[in-house]
Amino acid sequence: DRARPPEKLLDVDGRSFPSGHAAAAVAFYGPMVVIVASHHPQLRRPMAIGAGLWVLLVWLSTLYARAHWPTDLLAGGGVGLAWLVVCIATWRQPPSLPPSP
């Protein structure tokens, strides 16, 4: 229930902690890497690097706009990471289809 940083560049309402953008970025792009890499293993590393850089850009943009404190981003990232772990732990790869005649 913490207030947002002063002199923010965006007109945002609500409280600052935790960052929903940080959580959503990790919780969305993380599973996308896992899903794509399960079908294309050779893309695992480039996808992980790209997703990591994209999440970093989301985090840096919220810091630049002064919409969140750094600890808000870390807490949001932790929430997103927890959701990512739940998704990966419960995700089952669909059974492969039999070859067509």
Side-chain angles (χ1 to χ4, degrees):
D1 199 25
R2 179 172 37 186
R4 295 186 182 270
E7 301 176 14
K8 53 190 176 268
L9 300 177
L10 298 173
D11 185 29
V12 288
D13 293 329
R15 296 298 178 181
S16 177
F17 187 85
S19 169
H21 284 96
V26 173
F28 178 76
Y29 294 111
M32 292 302 107
V33 169
V34 172
I35 291 168
V36 171
S38 70
H39 296 287
H40 305 283
Q42 71 277 11
L43 296 177
R44 178 172 289 146
R45 180 167 290 179
M47 290 282 298
I49 291 170
L53 289 173
W54 193 256
V55 168
L56 180 65
L57 285 173
V58 169
W59 289 24
L60 289 175
S61 69
T62 59
L63 283 176
Y64 177 78
R66 295 185 201 109
H68 289 287
W69 300 98
T71 52
D72 301 340
L73 299 174
L74 292 175
V79 169
L81 185 61
W83 184 248
L84 174 61
V85 168
V86 168
C87 289
I88 291 173
T90 59
W91 180 60
R92 303 219 191 308
Q93 193 163 359
S96 58
L97 297 173
S100 16

